[in-house]
Amino acid sequence: MPELRQFTRAPAGPGALTATVPREFVHRVAVAEVLLTGWTRTDADRFTITAQWPRTHQLHVSPDRSAYEPLLIAETVRQCGALLAHAVYEVPLGHQFVLRELRVDTRPEHLAVGAAPAEPVVDITVGEVRRRAGRPAALRYDAVVRLGGERIATGGIAVTWTNESVYRRLRGGRTADVGALRLPPPPTALLPADTVGRALRADVLLSPAARPGRWRLRVDTAHPVFFDHPLDHIPGMLLLEAARQAVRAHGGDESRVPVSFHAAFHQYAELDRPVWMEVSAEGGDDVQVVALQGESVVFGCRVGAVAG
């Protein structure tokens, strides 16, 4: 495994240099999708990680470029765990990571896009490192995200990993060559992009179904963000975005803006079987969204939404 040096970003000013962390450590192929710029250890299991958010992004900045999306924070917190697993806990590159739980609660009033890319700081507290045969096999951590000294979000993740050979046995030989099922041809259509808070039809993940509060999931394995690299299953960030879109579309209230996500990933969502997104419950500002594949709930997410 290549060495990743620990560093703290130099103060801004003449001669200051900033770079992203190696893309391999956050499981990205496109350098443009790497959000983290550095890290430092502050205690035994406490870390401060620096990041930079772009002022425009296909998914993670609002279509009018005025605000950062809450799922940008989710992706930032996800990348923090991958970075620490490799750089601190010595998980080899090539191990397969499985996201088990993710939560993020944001303060949207602090997510405006400014005149320069935002540079948040993420404080990570590792609460649990589970070991197998003396080696780390799982990680659970909490995150506090600050921007300009202001606390703008909190989050947490539970993730496990395994080596390639064990993963292949678990997956029964499935590979990234498995193609995604295509949606039926017209007249079946995707939801209009503006009803799910998207500018591009290519980013719409939901197709109407006969029952209210239910949609068929569209999976495009050529999507440059969700499928930054080939996968043998539907990625967690795609399911989170589908939950976000379901809340925006539900009840015809397009003004509802999701600001928090508490998600559990129960099992792999396969590429070659239909997935249905459903609103299963509502209460106050919260909407529970599940993803069904066959008779199984593969994903569930409680989404908190506020009036936009």
Side-chain angles (χ1 to χ4, degrees), residues 32-306:
E33 296 299 324
V34 179
L35 302 174
L36 308 185
T37 58
W39 68 280
T40 186
R41 192 171 208 152
T42 58
D43 205 341
D45 287 306
R46 294 178 181 269
F47 307 88
T48 295
I49 297 176
T50 53
Q52 187 183 80
W53 291 341
R55 295 170 65 199
T56 182
H57 189 276
Q58 182 172 342
L59 288 177
H60 296 321
V61 175
S62 62
D64 64 1
R65 300 183 183 179
S66 66
Y68 293 111
E69 294 275 1
L71 287 183
L72 176 63
I73 297 177
E75 172 61 10
T76 303
V77 174
R78 183 203 69 78
Q79 289 191 16
C80 289
L83 171 68
L84 294 177
H86 293 304
V88 177
Y89 298 102
E90 300 183 341
V91 178
L93 294 176
H95 273 40
Q96 299 294 319
F97 281 55
V98 180
L99 190 59
R100 300 295 187 184
E101 299 173 20
L102 179 147
R103 61 177 171 79
V104 63
D105 297 275
T106 70
R107 300 173 66 187
E109 66 272 21
H110 295 294
L111 296 182
V113 174
E119 298 194 336
V121 173
V122 187
D123 293 322
I124 298 288
T125 301
V126 175
E128 178 186 12
V129 181
R130 188 152 45 86
R131 298 179 181 272
R132 186 182 299 117
R135 296 182 178 180
L139 195 63
R140 183 181 294 273
Y141 58 93
D142 296 313
V144 176
V145 185
R146 291 184 172 86
L147 189 58
E150 190 77 40
R151 180 168 168 156
I152 65 169
T154 58
I157 278 181
V159 63
T160 64
W161 53 81
T162 187
N163 65 44
E164 182 72 17
S165 62
V166 171
Y167 179 78
R168 287 294 154 223
R169 288 199 299 273
L170 290 173
R171 298 293 289 134
R174 283 182 174 270
T175 70
D177 296 329
V178 175
L181 286 181
R182 302 220 176 255
L183 286 171
T188 300
L190 296 170
L191 295 180
D194 58 350
T195 66
V196 295
R198 289 290 164 223
L200 301 177
R201 188 174 186 273
D203 295 331
V204 178
L205 301 179
L206 304 180
S207 178
R211 195 166 79 214
R214 178 179 168 96
W215 304 267
R216 182 169 171 182
L217 183 67
R218 175 209 195 192
V219 180
D220 176 10
T221 57
H223 195 284
V225 178
F226 296 127
F227 290 88
D228 166 78
H229 54 281
L231 296 169
D232 67 356
H233 59 277
I234 298 171
M237 290 302 296
L238 187 151
L239 294 171
L240 286 165
E241 171 62 20
R244 189 197 75 86
Q245 293 188 16
V247 171
R248 290 294 298 262
H250 182 55
D253 186 359
E254 299 164 22
S255 67
R256 297 183 78 177
V257 179
V259 297
S260 68
F261 297 82
H262 290 211
F265 302 84
H266 302 298
Q267 61 188 65
Y268 292 102
E270 306 295 356
L271 292 167
D272 56 355
R273 298 173 58 203
V275 175
W276 299 91
M277 305 298 300
E278 288 189 359
V279 169
S280 62
E282 291 185 79
D285 293 331
D286 292 341
V287 181
Q288 181 72 25
V289 181
V290 297
L292 300 165
Q293 194 159 56
E295 299 300 317
S296 299
V297 176
V298 297
F299 162 81
C301 187
R302 177 166 55 86
V303 182
V306 299

